[in-house]
Amino acid sequence: MTAVSGGGQDLWPAPHLTRPVDAEVSIPGSKSLTNRFLILAALADGPSIIRRPLASRDTALMIDALRSLGAVVEELPADSGSVPDLRVHPLAPDSGPAPRTIDCGLAGTVMRFVPPLAGLVPGTTVFDGDPHARRRPMDSIITALRELGLHLDDAGAGSLPFSITGGGGIRGGRLAIDASASSQFVSALLLVGARFTDGLHLEHVGAPVPSLDHIRMTVEVLRAVGVAVDDSVPNHWRITPGKINPFDITVEPDLSNAGPFLAAAVVTGGTVRVRHWPGTTTQVGDRWRSILPLLGASVDLDGDVLTVSGGPTLRGGSFADTSELAPTLAALCALATTPSMLTGIAHLRGHETDRLAALVAEINGLGGDAEETADGLLIRPAALHGGVFHTYDDHRMATAGAILGLVVEGVEVENIGTTAKTMPDFPGRWAAVTGTAHPLRQAENASSGADGLL
């Protein structure tokens, strides 16, 4: 696939530094955890409370989707300076009038996690999203829901838009799917499996499932709310039918979103400290603690503060299965003094954009030397220059451009507002960490749903 720019968006002059950064930051809540907890709260046996949730476009879309299906989500006062906590009342027996329409935006967790939930609700639900959402892989979840007995109309496309007509319950039982395009296909079914009459025995058949860390996250949050999950056999997951306990839980910071701020320390030879880093976690972003030393940085976790300092040299290396961390890592590798190989990330071709094609196009557009491989990227050292870094409406492309701009003078990032998908006010946070003036104030306002959850 050839990457195509979104075009026509504001250009954000990326801050350029000639000195090391020295900053302490707090990272908003995890999108992956927030949206998983929202789904489970909608299915629980009573009201649940989600503390320190992420307030972003993806989570706002999830809340709107759950409300459309009959859940009640209300804000609660929270600690000073933080987003409101949420109280979620589960789906009511009478979910309201149908057909109902759900906007998925570009959120994979909405377009994959919500359709199985909609199958439990009487009536028809129509799903659609942003233009690129219609190109994201959906065939496995569509096929699975049909095999579970739901009527689903996708006009034969195997993608958005489509409609689902539920009858108020799903029998469940044994189901085989091909989840090689996205681990979210597995998580989507596991999250609702306890509400199937016969539970769920899910089997993956096909090439290896990418992003297994995200499936482990799903399994752990299910167990935390009382759902019995047996994942002792590789590529098999068994969910026992039963209740989902109401819960009161605090969302961890989004460790993947911490990556660009940690990268700022690495590329400038400075230091960044991130507060509230969990000691144990299922988030893939915790891998920064093992990845960054390979690039020459020092990493120290003292209590709940992670400190990263850049080394004298930024070197490349070989990195496998870095999943959503890959765009940030690719930006680091483009600035390294030795070649880098990123493998096991072919599935990124089906994310918000074809991330592999997009990264190659934009790194090379700034004078870099990157190429696609069958399952990843090869990046060689090259002298970079300024220019426009296109984002393709992809939040992680936007933050990759910001990282490059710290070292390469004259980088302009297209549509920095797309970062609001998972990071509220990234430009303001970046300005605070880098000690620079806010270069494009209107970028703060380019984010639909970023100013609050509701």
Side-chain angles (χ1 to χ4, degrees):
M1 171 183 169
T2 300
V4 179
S5 169
Q9 301 287 348
D10 289 330
L11 296 180
W12 178 71
H16 173 67
L17 296 184
T18 57
R19 53 172 173 75
V21 301
D22 187 353
E24 184 171 295
V25 297
S26 292
I27 305 298
S30 163
K31 179 264 295 185
S32 295
L33 286 170
T34 297
N35 277 356
R36 280 166 172 78
F37 288 134
L38 283 166
I39 289 282
L40 291 172
L43 292 169
D45 282 5
S48 297
I49 295 177
I50 303 173
R51 302 187 187 276
R52 296 185 187 171
L54 175 66
S56 73
R57 188 188 184 209
D58 276 17
T59 54
L61 288 167
M62 179 64 82
I63 288 170
D64 288 345
L66 297 181
R67 284 176 164 163
S68 295
L69 294 174
V72 175
V73 183
E74 55 187 4
E75 290 187 343
L76 300 175
D79 294 339
S80 176
S82 66
V83 299
D85 297 335
L86 299 175
R87 179 184 287 122
V88 182
H89 298 266
L91 301 175
D94 179 7
S95 60
R100 57 192 77 87
T101 299
I102 288 177
D103 177 12
C104 302
L106 260 178
T109 51
V110 179
M111 67 182 71
R112 276 89 178 244
F113 292 3
V114 179
L117 186 68
L120 294 170
V121 177
T124 299
T125 306
V126 178
F127 290 84
D128 204 353
D130 293 356
H132 186 77
R134 298 184 175 193
R135 300 196 295 273
R136 297 195 70 177
M138 287 294 297
D139 188 61
S140 289
I141 199 70
I142 288 171
T143 300
L145 294 176
R146 284 195 175 117
E147 291 184 7
L148 289 169
L150 295 170
H151 175 73
L152 193 149
D153 182 7
D154 66 339
S159 63
L160 293 171
F162 57 80
S163 65
I164 294 174
T165 301
I170 297 175
R171 175 145 190 175
R174 182 155 188 158
L175 176 66
I177 66 168
D178 181 355
S180 57
S182 175
S183 65
Q184 288 179 346
F185 297 144
V186 174
S187 290
L189 294 161
L190 297 185
L191 286 168
V192 299
R195 290 305 195 190
F196 294 169
T197 304
D198 295 337
L200 178 68
H201 175 187
L202 183 64
E203 178 185 5
H204 162 67
V205 292
V209 180
S211 304
L212 286 172
D213 292 303
H214 287 93
I215 297 178
R216 284 191 283 271
M217 173 187 288
T218 300
V219 169
E220 290 307 309
V221 298
L222 284 167
R223 288 173 175 159
V225 298
V227 176
V229 185
D230 180 357
D231 61 348
S232 59
V233 178
N235 294 323
H236 288 259
W237 298 267
R238 291 175 171 85
I239 303 284
T240 302
K243 67 178 183 177
I244 296 174
N245 296 328
F247 55 87
D248 183 333
I249 200 157
T250 300
V251 178
E252 297 172 359
D254 193 314
L255 307 187
S256 295
N257 275 344
F261 300 98
L262 301 177
V266 177
V267 302
T268 67
T271 297
V272 167
R273 295 165 292 279
V274 178
R275 299 192 298 268
H276 309 304
W277 197 280
T280 59
T281 180
T282 56
Q283 291 190 64
V284 66
D286 195 42
R287 291 187 61 193
W288 287 125
R289 292 199 288 151
S290 59
I291 290 172
L292 295 180
L294 300 177
L295 296 164
S298 65
V299 177
D300 177 65
L301 180 62
D302 184 6
D304 68 347
V305 177
L306 183 77
T307 301
V308 171
S309 297
T313 302
L314 172 53
R315 58 179 180 263
S318 296
F319 307 93
D321 304 320
T322 51
S323 187
E324 64 196 38
L325 311 184
T328 296
L329 180 57
L332 288 165
C333 292
L335 298 168
T337 58
T338 58
S340 298
M341 179 72 78
L342 281 63
T343 59
I345 52 173
H347 63 288
L348 297 188
R349 293 186 170 102
H351 276 224
E352 282 81 346
T353 188
D354 179 340
R355 282 182 175 165
L356 302 189
L359 286 164
V360 167
E362 299 313 309
I363 290 172
N364 291 350
L366 299 182
D369 185 359
E371 66 177 88
E372 288 188 61
T373 65
D375 71 338
L377 297 170
L378 174 60
I379 303 174
R380 305 177 187 89
L384 302 185
H385 56 70
V388 175
F389 191 94
H390 300 97
T391 62
Y392 313 88
D393 296 324
D394 185 332
H395 57 131
R396 300 205 191 279
M397 287 296 298
T399 54
I403 294 165
L404 293 174
L406 287 176
V407 177
V408 182
E409 191 171 8
V411 173
E412 295 182 298
V413 180
E414 173 201 54
N415 188 17
I416 194 67
T418 196
T419 52
K421 184 177 190 294
T422 59
M423 171 69 75
D425 187 22
F426 172 79
R429 295 173 187 274
W430 197 245
V433 168
T434 58
T436 57
H438 205 306
L440 186 63
R441 193 65 192 176
Q442 62 263 37
E444 289 186 52
N445 303 319
S447 59
S448 172
D451 295 328
L453 284 166
L454 304 181

